[in-house]
Amino acid sequence: MNSLKSVKEVCEIAGITRKTLFYYDRISLLEPTVRIGVQKIKMYDDCAMDKLLKIRRYREAGLSVSQIRSIFAGTDEKVILQEVMDRLCAEKSHAEYQ
């Protein structure tokens, strides 16, 4: 069964702030599944939660919002992850020589 979760529940489960969740909505990275009532209360289903948890893992791995958007648009995840790995290795090498 696909239950809907409130903004508060989503933030607690994902470990993010309301500000972050609303930012993802504003940039169309993660939109609410439905908006309920006159006040248009945002609600998220299990698929949205899965997507949010992927976004969070990608962010923790050092991916930019732009790179995450590219993955969701169909760019090969391995290509982007390799770019991130190359960047991190270059940053590490640069830091070691300073």
Side-chain angles (χ1 to χ4, degrees), residues 41-54:
I41 297 170
K42 299 174 183 185
M43 301 295 289
Y44 297 82
D45 67 7
D46 293 338
C47 291
M49 285 300 304
D50 290 343
K51 186 174 182 181
L52 177 57
L53 295 175
K54 284 181 187 177

Side-chain angles (χ1 to χ4, degrees), residues 9-80:
E9 291 170 316
V10 168
C11 291
E12 287 174 358
I13 292 167
I16 63 170
T17 64
R18 290 171 56 92
K19 183 178 177 180
T20 298
L21 185 61
F22 290 170
Y23 170 69
Y24 292 158
D25 180 19
R26 191 171 62 251
I27 65 170
S28 299
L29 186 60
L30 179 73
E31 297 174 356
T33 306
V34 295
R35 295 177 191 256
I36 297 175
V38 185
Q39 294 179 333
K40 304 287 185 187
I41 297 170
K42 299 174 183 185
M43 301 295 289
Y44 297 82
D45 67 7
D46 293 338
C47 291
M49 285 300 304
D50 290 343
K51 186 174 182 181
L52 177 57
L53 295 175
K54 284 181 187 177
I55 292 168
R56 191 164 159 232
R57 281 194 304 270
Y58 287 139
R59 294 292 290 150
E60 289 171 352
L63 276 70
S64 68
V65 169
S66 176
Q67 289 169 318
I68 296 168
R69 188 184 314 276
S70 293
I71 290 171
F72 290 152
T75 301
D76 186 0
E77 178 184 51
K78 291 178 186 175
V79 171
I80 293 181

